[in-house]
Amino acid sequence: AQSVTQLDSQVPVFEEAPVELRCNYSSSVSVYLFWYVQYPNQGLQLLLKYLSGSTLVKGINGFEAEFNKSQTSFHLRKPSVHISDTAEYFCAVMENNAGNMLTFGGGTRLMVKP
Amino acid sequence: ETGVTQTPRHLVMGMTNKKSLKCEQHLGHNAMYWYKQSAKKPLELMFVYNFKEQTENNSVPSRFSPECPNSSHLFLHLHTLQPEDSALYLCASSQGRIDYGYTFGSGTRLTVV
């Protein structure tokens, strides 16, 4: 069965600084990878996804992520964050034989300071 | 508006009460999910319905009872809950295709007193 680890529970960063949120997964089969964002008092919103092809994927709000198969990682990055990026970010994995079932990591709270 | 609507947004209930959470989607999706989100814990998948049939029950206590009368509606019936059941309950739906991902509702914040 797959599992997802988000190593940092909280990441504080100053506005306009770059940020990387780390995600590692484990699986014995090929996977599809997702990042979701949750703003306060809201549900989860899809940021970006990796299904196949180019390992660098771009999403909404200027975020991007890179799939690294050898390191089983899918880290999320943004070159310059805004106050409005303050939220909880979840990495998720779906095995290609899992019947469309998503497994989520524990989440990383990104706190952007002025 | 995300396309998945959950009501109520907030619910406070006593341990002897019976209440229901409602989820509705008109996206034409054929799969619906209940997740529990507790503080400092990962999202926990509770139930999955595909084409109105329950296909996953992730060892959820019987005090939680799901119902899916049609592919657009999903309910979570609650009775004799415990304070540790206080959490954000999220509903999601999907097309059943990997590249579409899930669409989430805004959740119901449940407090058991």
Side-chain angles (χ1 to χ4, degrees):
Chain A
Q2 71 269 35
S3 67
V4 182
T5 302
Q6 292 181 244
L7 294 166
D8 306 301
S9 59
Q10 295 187 70
V11 173
V13 63
F14 286 105
E15 192 174 20
E16 296 183 6
V19 70
E20 179 179 80
L21 306 184
R22 296 181 293 171
C23 173
N24 288 88
Y25 68 93
S26 66
S27 176
S28 58
V29 300
S30 60
V31 297
Y32 308 101
L33 296 154
F34 303 80
W35 275 100
Y36 283 82
V37 60
Q38 184 179 31
Y39 298 104
N41 301 313
Q42 294 187 30
L44 278 67
Q45 177 184 356
L46 182 64
L47 262 183
L48 49 78
K49 61 194 174 193
Y50 171 79
L51 304 179
S52 64
S54 173
T55 56
L56 182 64
V57 292
K58 296 188 183 297
I60 61 172
N61 302 339
F63 283 93
E64 63 180 31
E66 185 156 22
F67 171 53
N68 188 318
K69 187 176 182 179
S70 62
Q71 296 187 5
T72 60
S73 68
F74 190 55
H75 300 332
L76 181 70
R77 297 191 292 258
K78 185 169 183 178
S80 176
V81 294
H82 302 288
I83 296 287
S84 59
D85 292 322
T86 295
E88 189 93 18
Y89 291 80
F90 293 91
C91 182
V93 64
M94 181 188 297
E95 291 183 331
N96 68 359
N97 62 355
N100 203 39
M101 299 289 291
L102 270 179
T103 298
F104 287 88
T108 297
R109 180 167 298 280
L110 177 63
M111 299 176 292
V112 182
K113 300 180 286 185
Chain B
E1 181 59 54
T2 66
V4 177
T5 304
Q6 289 187 244
T7 53
R9 291 296 306 274
H10 301 273
L11 178 63
V12 179
M13 60 185 289
M15 288 189 284
T16 58
N17 291 161
K18 290 184 180 181
K19 296 286 185 183
S20 296
L21 310 184
K22 180 181 177 182
C23 176
E24 185 173 356
Q25 60 93 6
H26 295 288
L27 300 170
H29 290 175
N30 51 38
M32 297 186 77
Y33 313 81
W34 278 118
Y35 278 88
K36 177 183 179 182
Q37 187 177 28
S38 306
K40 303 186 188 305
K41 293 177 69 174
L43 279 160
E44 300 172 57
L45 177 65
M46 300 176 72
F47 301 103
V48 180
Y49 277 82
N50 279 287
F51 294 100
K52 304 187 300 177
E53 298 297 321
Q54 187 180 125
T55 56
E56 186 84 14
N57 176 337
N58 209 18
S59 303
V60 180
S62 59
R63 56 186 185 271
F64 295 91
S65 174
E67 179 189 3
C68 188
N70 55 62
S71 58
S72 298
H73 294 86
L74 183 65
F75 295 89
L76 188 63
H77 304 300
L78 316 171
H79 66 96
T80 59
L81 295 191
Q82 304 299 311
E84 60 265 28
D85 297 321
S86 298
L88 181 68
Y89 288 84
L90 291 165
C91 174
S93 68
S94 73
Q95 187 76 345
R97 284 178 47 176
I98 292 164
D99 53 346
Y100 281 81
Y102 288 11
T103 301
F104 280 85
S106 298
T108 295
R109 174 70 62 186
L110 173 67
T111 304
V112 181
V113 297

